[in-house]
Amino acid sequence: VMTQSILHDPLLTPHQLAVLLGRNDRTLAYWRAVKKGPKPTKLEGKIAYFCSDVDLWVKEQTTKTKEEL
């Protein structure tokens, strides 16, 4: 199991991620409920996203789109 360091892998709040992806906060909440979207993590009871998990998810979405063409 690989551990992530906040020093080398910054965290985004759900709102920051929503803005970055051009979505609204409710969309991210829905994605979490249906296990879709970037992998969330909890830090002191608050939801956050490691940038590396967001990058991986975006790359996966890009790959899927290319394969579908």
Side-chain angles (χ1 to χ4, degrees):
V1 174
M2 186 176 173
T3 59
Q4 294 173 314
S5 168
I6 193 169
L7 299 175
H8 300 289
D9 194 1
L11 289 166
L12 296 170
T13 66
H15 180 72
Q16 289 170 322
L17 180 58
V19 169
L20 184 69
L21 296 176
R23 304 284 190 233
N24 65 45
D25 294 4
R26 290 178 307 221
T27 299
L28 266 63
Y30 172 75
W31 285 356
R32 287 190 303 274
V34 298
K35 308 284 191 240
K36 182 179 175 181
K39 178 184 157 199
T41 201
K42 273 198 173 181
L43 181 63
E44 295 182 358
K46 294 186 179 183
I47 296 168
Y49 296 86
F50 280 105
C51 287
S52 61
D53 290 333
V54 174
D55 287 342
L56 179 63
W57 179 80
V58 168
K59 287 176 187 171
E60 289 171 352
Q61 301 315 299
T62 304
T63 301
K64 287 179 185 176
T65 302
K66 287 180 181 175
E67 290 172 355
E68 292 171 357
L69 294 175

